[in-house]
């Protein structure tokens, strides 16, 4: 499935500033972090529904690949990736333990969205 970026360059910059890992390292207040997590869980649910993605968790462990296209350093996406992954719990994955999530990969692509791909892996 995919999650669209904000439509304007200014919106995309603000989004990156707010949700990039540097925002969390800079001491973001716990209440704001909770609000951010809620936002990303809801955003993930909306885009899962929009893409008509299955509603039952995979029966085997998965590898999750995040594809990004913005001006953040690749390692700066980990907070967003975590919040998206948490939004998958109970829907595409049972939970985010090592039993169900065997690998997470962050890479680039040229589309104007965040693409999230899950693939089953052997245990």
């Amino acid at each position: 499935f995919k999650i669209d970026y904000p439509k304007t360059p200014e919106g995309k910059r603000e989004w990156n500033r707010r949700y990039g890992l540097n925002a969390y390292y800079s001491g973001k207040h716990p209440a704001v972090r909770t609000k951010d997590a809620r936002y990303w869980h809801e955003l993930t649910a909306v885009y899962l529904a929009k893409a008509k993605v299955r509603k039952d968790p995979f029966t085997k462990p998965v590898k999750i690949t995040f594809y990004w296209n913005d001006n953040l350093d690749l390692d700066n996406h980990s907070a967003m990736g975590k919040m998206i992954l948490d939004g998958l719990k109970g829907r595409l994955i049972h939970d985010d333990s090592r039993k169900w999530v065997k690998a997470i990969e962050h890479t680039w692509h040229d589309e104007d969205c965040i693409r999230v791909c899950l693939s089953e892996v052997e245990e």
Side-chain angles (χ1 to χ4, degrees), residues 68-114:
W68 307 96
N69 182 19
D70 54 36
N71 290 323
L72 292 174
D73 295 333
L74 195 57
D75 61 335
N76 214 324
H77 294 97
S78 59
M80 288 181 273
K82 165 127 181 79
M83 291 183 284
I84 293 169
L85 189 146
D86 285 345
L88 301 177
K89 289 193 270 189
R91 172 82 185 245
L92 290 179
I93 58 174
H94 291 278
D95 61 50
D96 57 355
S97 69
R98 64 191 312 175
K99 177 180 179 181
W100 296 106
V101 179
K102 295 295 185 182
I104 299 171
E105 178 181 38
H106 295 270
T107 192
W108 300 111
H109 70 152
D110 292 326
E111 297 178 47
D112 196 25
C113 64
I114 301 164

Side-chain angles (χ1 to χ4, degrees), residues 54-71:
R54 64 194 280 166
K55 294 183 179 180
D56 54 317
F58 283 89
T59 58
K60 292 183 179 179
V62 297
K63 172 186 174 184
I64 302 173
T65 304
F66 294 97
Y67 295 86
W68 307 96
N69 182 19
D70 54 36
N71 290 323

Side-chain angles (χ1 to χ4, degrees), residues 3 14 22 31 33 38 41 48 54 85 96 113 115:
I3 298 172
E14 173 58 25
N22 289 336
R33 290 195 310 257
R38 192 173 314 116
H41 297 167
L48 285 168
R54 64 194 280 166
L85 189 146
D96 57 355
C113 64
R115 186 158 303 278

